[in-house]
């Protein structure tokens, strides 16, 4: 809006949800994906705590609260400025567990490999995952490998699952957002998504754009230790970007969210790339930023 203040939502046409086949947008983190979850997956699996639409589920196990999250990673190119599919898989799942307020403890990994995939690239990806897990002090403890016929995959897909322990006093969930809360953003948005798309589209800028993929669990631990129960919601705005994450939280909590667009940090290279590609940075993926509602 002209005064720089925008309510989440708007007058864009709503995409139809009545499809007889799976569409690419069903995995994009937006309206169609939300519809797929609400109409198919959640009712079918009787998801219980997962109905919160959190980054993971928190379960009571033998007197402890255990957070669990799983994610699949499919990205082109496999190697991009600032990271690759391997480090991305480790960081992404560590962060999803951390957004539950948990301290990540361990990861499991599954590789789906296409016949003919270069062994040198697989070694590079594995080394990157190992380094990312070691640096974060969250070990990879188990996993699985499958190989599909040549032409039946896209080189490599990676699925990671993480578990962590939630401190007793921590209660972080999307439904806890309430009127009067404020939104904190840990840094510039859309860096990761634009870094990947700029390579994919062959764009060059005066400054090097690098993915912001990074583990956020230490930052979360500091926030939780200092703010405790004042932290109501944590979210890493990955697929669908900041706007989709905030819309999902608002829907879950039954509240409205008002944002001041001019206060949202967007770097000039990212802004320029978004203009070239016709994208809104509010809807571009992030991998090293978090949103805290407090």
């Amino acid at each position: 809006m002209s005064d720089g203040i925008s309510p989440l939502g708007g007058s864009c046409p709503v995409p139809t949800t009545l499809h007889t086949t799976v569409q690419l947008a069903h995995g994009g983190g937006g309206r169609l994906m939300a519809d797929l979850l609400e109409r198919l997956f959640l009712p079918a699996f009787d998801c219980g705590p997962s109905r919160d639409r959190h980054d993971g589920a928190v379960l009571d196990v033998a007197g402890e609260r255990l957070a669990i999250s799983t994610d699949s990673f499919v990205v082109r190119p496999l190697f991009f400025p600032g990271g690759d599919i391997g480090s991305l898989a480790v960081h992404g799942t560590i962060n999803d567990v951390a957004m539950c307020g948990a301290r990540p403890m361990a990861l499991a990994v599954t590789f789906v490999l296409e016949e003919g995939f270069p062994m040198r690239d697989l070694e590079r990806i594995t080394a990157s995952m190992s380094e990312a897990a070691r640096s974060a002090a969250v070990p990879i403890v188990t996993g699985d490998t499958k190989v599909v016929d040549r032409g039946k995959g896209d080189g490599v897909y990676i699925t990671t699952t993480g578990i962590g322990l939630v401190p007793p006093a921590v209660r972080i969930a999307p439904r806890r957002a309430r009127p009067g809360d404020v939104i904190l953003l840990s840094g510039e948005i859309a860096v990761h998504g634009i870094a990947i798309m700029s390579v994919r589209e062959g764009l060059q800028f005066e400054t090097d754009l690098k993915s912001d993929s990074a583990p956020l669990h230490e930052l979360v631990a500091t926030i939780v230790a200092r703010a405790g129960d004042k932290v109501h919601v944590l979210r890493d705005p990955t697929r669908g970007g900041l706007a989709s994450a905030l819309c999902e939280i608002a829907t879950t909590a039954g509240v409205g969210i008002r944002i001041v667009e001019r206060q949202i940090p967007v770097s000039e290279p990212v802004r320029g790339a978004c203009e070239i590609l016709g994208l809104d940075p509010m809807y571009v993926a992030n991998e090293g930023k978090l949103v805290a509602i407090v």
Side-chain angles (χ1 to χ4, degrees), residues 69-71 73 88-98 107 160-162:
S69 183
T70 192
D71 204 350
F73 295 85
L88 180 65
V90 170
H91 294 159
T93 298
I94 285 176
N95 292 345
D96 283 348
V97 171
L107 297 173
T160 44
T161 299

Side-chain angles (χ1 to χ4, degrees), residues 8 95-96 125 158 165 170 181 184 205 225 250 257 268 276:
L8 277 179
N95 292 345
D96 283 348
I125 290 168
I158 299 176
L165 282 176
V170 174
D181 283 355
L184 305 180
F205 304 94
I257 295 178
E268 286 306 315
I276 292 172

Side-chain angles (χ1 to χ4, degrees), residues 235-259:
R235 180 64 57 89
D236 58 335
T238 52
R239 281 178 300 173
L242 178 61
S244 294
L246 294 180
C247 282
E248 190 173 284
I249 292 167
T251 300
T252 301
V255 298
I257 295 178
R258 196 182 195 203
I259 59 174

